[in-house]
Amino acid sequence: STLGASAAEKGGRYFGAAIAAGRLGDSTYVNILNREFNSVTAENEMKWSSTEPQRGSFNYTSANRIVNHALGQGMKIRGHTLLWHGQQPGWAQGLSGSDLRNAAINHVTQVATYFRGKIHSWDVVNEAFADGGSGGRRDSNLQRTGNDWIEAAFRAARAADPGAKLCYNDYNTDGINAKSTGIYNMVRDFKSRGVPIDCVGFQSHLGGSISGDYQANLQRFADLGVDVQITELDVAQGSNQANIYAAVTRACLAVSRCNGITVWGIRDSDSWRTGENPLLFDSSGNKKAAYTSTLNAL
Ligand code: XIL
């Protein structure tokens, strides 16, 4: 079997990969992608700096290479990401206050409208919470426009693409801790006030261990009435890599509202974590032990 086919047999889940438009001419890469995965995320091509490099001037050329490939293969598409403190175009980095707020909401509306009907799940907001023990928001230009910027983004995304699941996505949320609890409290508040939110993404950029309450953390979010997704999984190479991939996979399958898993790249040589060899295929495209343990867990 394959990762995607096995996940699909488990209640219609998906198994996806982050991909780069610039690698779609690499036949080894594309062969693995088409064989193993039934969902994709654009690794960079849907970020603000890519889609709106000048204010009000949108460019979807690279994103569309990924979208067209995915649609041609019948793959789901995760949209990543509408608003984030990272990879903003220079013009947005220079804005503040209501000018930035208006530009940000316009960006959400324009991009979500452009891709309407094609996106399975949008990461509407990425990485808005602080690391460490505060459980509060991260300081950013977006946060300084007012604490309601996240809900404003979700409302704009819902209006633009009512068929997409709308997710909040973050890292260091892979267990019950102050950061994940801060997000949990935001989601609970959104649900109680009718702010549209459908899912929470757990990036899961992992090192040599997995939190003992990884599954319990997914479950507590699911119990709020949102789906959960593993959105950017990669695990540092080491003696435990295969076991950690399997444990994440089993945790997702054990939570009925866990829709799917996305790994953040295909081969180790495609990874943003240079030198960590954190993916399921080696640099030649061969299946690693982590691939086999993941497939066996599905
Ligand atoms: C990373 C990409 O993989 C890199 O190519 C890029 O240089 C920086 O961004 N969290 C996220 C992703 O939400 O968008 C990041 O992707 C990895 C961390």
Side-chain angles (χ1 to χ4, degrees):
S1 190
T2 66
L3 300 169
S6 295
E9 285 168 9
K10 293 285 158 68
R13 287 179 170 85
Y14 63 82
F15 205 103
I19 62 171
R23 290 195 169 92
L24 288 172
D26 176 334
S27 61
T28 305
Y29 182 84
V30 172
N31 286 341
I32 298 170
L33 170 63
N34 292 352
R35 186 185 75 220
E36 296 288 343
F37 297 99
N38 56 7
S39 174
V40 299
T41 304
E43 187 174 0
N44 290 296
E45 291 81 348
M46 292 189 187
K47 293 172 181 175
W48 198 351
S49 56
S50 297
T51 53
E52 195 181 1
Q54 263 73 51
R55 188 170 189 172
S57 164
F58 293 83
N59 186 335
Y60 299 110
T61 307
S62 296
N64 276 332
R65 287 202 193 107
I66 288 174
V67 167
N68 291 334
H69 185 90
L71 294 179
Q73 294 288 322
M75 297 169 174
K76 292 182 165 66
I77 303 168
R78 296 195 80 264
H80 176 78
T81 174
L82 293 171
L83 291 180
W84 183 28
H85 67 274
Q87 291 179 273
Q88 295 183 2
W91 64 265
Q93 294 175 38
L95 300 183
S96 62
S98 59
D99 199 13
L100 175 60
R101 173 68 71 94
N102 291 337
I105 297 303
N106 180 60
H107 181 76
V108 171
T109 298
Q110 293 295 323
V111 177
T113 298
Y114 180 83
F115 290 112
R116 178 166 52 210
K118 296 179 175 168
I119 304 297
H120 173 267
S121 300
W122 261 117
D123 290 334
V124 178
V125 169
N126 194 38
E127 300 184 352
F129 276 72
D131 290 315
S134 76
R137 298 288 182 84
R138 169 196 298 277
D139 180 52
S140 71
N141 60 345
L142 291 164
Q143 181 62 27
R144 290 191 292 271
T145 71
N147 205 52
D148 62 341
W149 73 277
I150 298 182
E151 62 191 84
F154 275 82
R155 291 187 199 280
R158 177 70 95 225
D161 186 355
K165 289 182 193 281
L166 304 182
C167 303
Y168 176 80
N169 191 53
D170 215 325
Y171 68 93
N172 283 351
T173 52
D174 314 303
I176 297 176
N177 57 41
K179 185 174 180 179
S180 63
T181 298
I183 296 164
Y184 176 88
N185 289 335
M186 179 188 75
V187 173
R188 190 175 52 186
D189 171 57
F190 280 15
K191 295 299 276 186
S192 75
R193 292 190 295 113
V195 178
I197 185 166
D198 306 303
C199 38
V200 176
F202 299 82
Q203 293 185 11
S204 304
H205 296 293
L206 302 179
S209 64
I210 178 172
S211 174
D213 50 16
Y214 187 94
Q215 180 184 320
N217 189 48
L218 299 180
Q219 187 65 58
R220 72 169 174 156
F221 279 88
D223 291 343
L224 290 176
V226 290
D227 291 342
V228 295
Q229 303 176 1
I230 313 306
T231 52
E232 304 185 15
L233 179 62
D234 53 15
V235 182
Q237 178 88 66
S239 55
N240 245 348
Q241 185 181 52
N243 292 333
I244 293 171
Y245 266 105
V248 170
T249 303
R250 283 194 300 267
C252 181
L253 294 182
V255 175
S256 60
R257 294 198 73 146
C258 185
N259 309 134
I261 299 173
T262 300
V263 290
W264 204 245
I266 294 181
R267 300 163 301 195
D268 286 335
S269 50
D270 302 315
S271 175
W272 71 306
R273 294 172 69 176
T274 309
E276 292 193 83
N277 296 326
L279 293 172
L280 299 177
F281 296 87
D282 71 19
S283 297
S284 304
N286 300 306
K287 296 169 179 175
K288 295 167 58 181
Y291 171 91
T292 305
S293 67
T294 301
L295 185 62
N296 287 342
L298 278 169

